[in-house]
Amino acid sequence: MLFGFKKPAIPLAAGRIDSVGIIMDGNGRWAKRRGMPRLAGHAAGAARVEEVLTVLREMGIHHVTLYAFSTENWKRPKEEVDGIMDLVYKYLREVVREKIVSDGHFAVRFAGDTSVLPEKLREECREIEAMGENKEFICYVALNYGGRDEIVRSVKRALESGEEISEAAISRHLYTSPSPDPDLIIRTGGDMRISNFLLWQSAYSEFYFTKTLWPDFDRGEVIRAVESFLGRKRRFGGLNKEDK
Ligand code: IPE
Ligand code: IPE
Ligand code: MG
């Protein structure tokens, strides 16, 4: 490069990682540590999304699923749930619509039962989905998403369309179809559990857990997660050449 400053080198994931899932956890603790209300943590968390998506795209990754709100998160106090819904709406309108989808590289889809979300949020989801067709990068936002709920829904849909139940039929009706299963699932916030995320799709995913809280998860953290993945050997139940 002749002009300007070089950004830190990013590993090229193309060919090794096509799909990533992220459990964006730790917003509440981030806020608590600063003596701020939990919602301030969710706002700081939303502000990380654009940078993370951009780095993943620069690496040559084409499919990302972001866990934004689970089917179990309704158990939280109404004030927090309402605040999260408002934040999601605002972020979709001001950043996803105006910057992320408008830049022409990204398509955004929603994974989860959006039918029970506030009407203006549902409308925004519909409009954003309609803005991005056939793009090189698909971002699924998992909103009122549960992995068990998704599997039940897929089986029902397969039966309704008269298909015989098979792994292929269930896969075909998942929210994330036809995107490939995640190669890598990242969870921030220090807990080592799946919390009902992509249960079907994660059968052979590699997991990366970090104590870093989601609002602190930046470009360098994405690079660390991908480098960890690139150093691993996957076998899918078989053997690699060097194992024989
Ligand atoms: C993740 O952060 C965001 C949502 C679940 C909506 P949390 O709100 O779970 O943050 P912690 O885990 O309490 O720190
Ligand atoms: C998982 O985080 C859901 C999202 C990040 C949206 P939670 O904070 O809800 O998970 P648990 O309750 O600690 O398992
Ligand atoms: Mg949490």
Side-chain angles (χ1 to χ4, degrees):
M1 203 194 269
L2 288 172
F3 307 105
F5 295 102
K6 244 178 146 175
K7 283 186 188 163
I10 54 167
L12 214 54
R16 299 275 312 274
I17 311 183
D18 200 24
S19 178
V20 173
I22 309 182
I23 303 174
M24 308 183 291
D25 195 23
N27 295 347
R29 279 162 286 167
W30 184 93
K32 207 170 164 200
R33 279 179 201 174
R34 286 165 177 74
M36 291 153 83
R38 291 180 58 85
L39 274 174
H42 294 309
R48 299 269 28 114
V49 168
E50 191 183 359
E51 180 181 353
V52 170
L53 290 182
T54 303
V55 187
L56 292 171
R57 191 178 70 80
E58 286 171 6
M59 288 174 167
I61 292 162
H62 296 101
H63 311 263
V64 174
T65 307
L66 300 176
Y67 205 5
F69 193 88
S70 75
T71 46
E72 289 72 38
N73 286 147
W74 299 104
K75 295 176 191 163
R76 296 188 181 197
K78 184 176 180 327
E79 192 191 341
E80 180 171 350
V81 170
D82 290 348
I84 292 173
M85 293 302 158
D86 281 347
L87 266 169
V88 171
Y89 175 74
K90 208 163 155 252
Y91 191 76
L92 289 176
R93 248 191 120 72
E94 292 171 9
V95 185
V96 175
R97 173 193 281 269
E98 297 299 331
K99 293 175 76 184
I100 298 180
V101 182
S102 312
D103 98 338
H105 299 293
F106 295 93
V108 173
R109 303 265 174 280
F110 293 88
D113 179 9
T114 50
S115 72
V116 296
L117 300 178
E119 178 50 35
K120 67 172 188 179
L121 176 55
R122 277 166 62 194
E123 184 57 28
E124 187 60 25
C125 294
R126 274 196 293 271
E127 287 181 16
I128 283 178
E129 282 194 331
M131 283 173 75
E133 294 284 341
N134 303 321
K135 293 293 180 316
E136 62 178 273
F137 187 105
I138 300 189
C139 175
Y140 296 90
V141 179
L143 201 52
N144 189 23
Y145 172 90
R148 289 184 170 181
D149 181 65
E150 180 184 37
I151 295 168
V152 171
R153 176 182 176 273
S154 296
V155 172
K156 281 188 187 159
R157 296 211 158 186
L159 287 173
E160 275 161 20
S161 52
E163 290 167 69
E164 203 172 304
I165 298 303
S166 65
E167 291 192 11
I170 293 174
S171 297
R172 210 167 20 249
H173 291 284
L174 298 172
Y175 287 114
T176 53
S177 171
S179 288
D181 291 342
D183 301 294
L184 170 64
I185 292 184
I186 298 169
R187 181 175 186 139
T188 62
D191 287 314
M192 289 185 268
R193 57 176 170 258
I194 190 92
S195 301
N196 207 8
F197 186 53
L198 302 181
L199 297 183
W200 180 274
Q201 297 90 327
S202 63
Y204 272 101
S205 300
E206 294 293 326
F207 286 85
Y208 177 85
F209 296 104
T210 172
K211 288 200 169 91
T212 302
L213 304 173
W214 175 252
D216 295 325
F217 196 77
D218 61 9
R219 185 182 174 88
E221 298 277 346
V222 181
I223 292 173
R224 254 194 292 285
V226 166
E227 277 173 345
S228 160
F229 173 94
L230 293 174
R232 300 185 195 183
K233 289 200 167 63
R234 304 174 83 187
R235 280 184 286 275
F236 300 98
L239 296 175
N240 292 330
K241 258 192 223 121
E242 67 274 15
D243 302 321
K244 289 176 199 157

